[in-house]
Amino acid sequence: MKKHKHDGTNEQSGLLAGEITSSKIEVIASIVLTLGYSLSTLADILALQEEEELAQENTSRAQDQNLQFRQMCKQLQNVNNRLDSIERKLNRY
């Protein structure tokens, strides 16, 4: 009986080995390649999104700086006007 069971496992392993065919290997290889291509494409998309976010942040910073410079310019103009006013008053006396 032990021989019979042993022969059965050999037959089963033979069947399992026979199930792996070149066409199945080609399908598996195709799946692996497709998965690799998909991951590569996903990495490219994520990199482009990161670049776009950085560009938007830089644009936002530039706009904020521009606004700050305008505010500083207005403040300097106000100070300059006050100084002119003080100078005129001093010249009167």
Side-chain angles (χ1 to χ4, degrees):
M1 279 185 130
K2 288 183 181 178
K3 275 187 173 180
H4 189 60
K5 282 186 179 179
H6 194 326
D7 290 340
T9 54
N10 280 342
E11 287 177 14
Q12 286 177 353
S13 64
L15 289 174
L16 289 175
E19 289 178 5
I20 298 176
T21 62
S22 62
S23 62
K24 288 184 181 180
I25 290 175
E26 286 178 16
V27 169
I28 292 170
S30 176
I31 290 170
V32 170
L33 289 173
T34 303
L35 180 60
Y37 177 75
S38 297
L39 290 174
S40 175
T41 303
L42 179 61
D44 289 342
I45 290 170
L46 291 175
L48 289 173
Q49 285 179 339
E50 288 174 4
E51 287 178 16
E52 185 178 339
E53 288 174 4
L54 286 174
Q56 287 176 352
E57 286 177 11
N58 289 339
T59 301
S60 178
R61 284 184 195 144
Q63 289 173 348
D64 290 345
Q65 280 183 341
N66 193 12
L67 180 62
Q68 288 175 351
F69 287 142
R70 283 191 222 155
Q71 290 173 345
M72 287 171 55
C73 184
K74 286 180 184 178
Q75 289 173 353
L76 287 173
Q77 286 174 347
N78 288 336
V79 168
N80 193 25
N81 289 339
R82 286 182 186 172
L83 287 173
D84 285 343
S85 174
I86 291 171
E87 186 181 2
R88 277 182 263 143
K89 287 181 182 177
L90 284 174
N91 286 336
R92 284 185 205 164
Y93 298 110

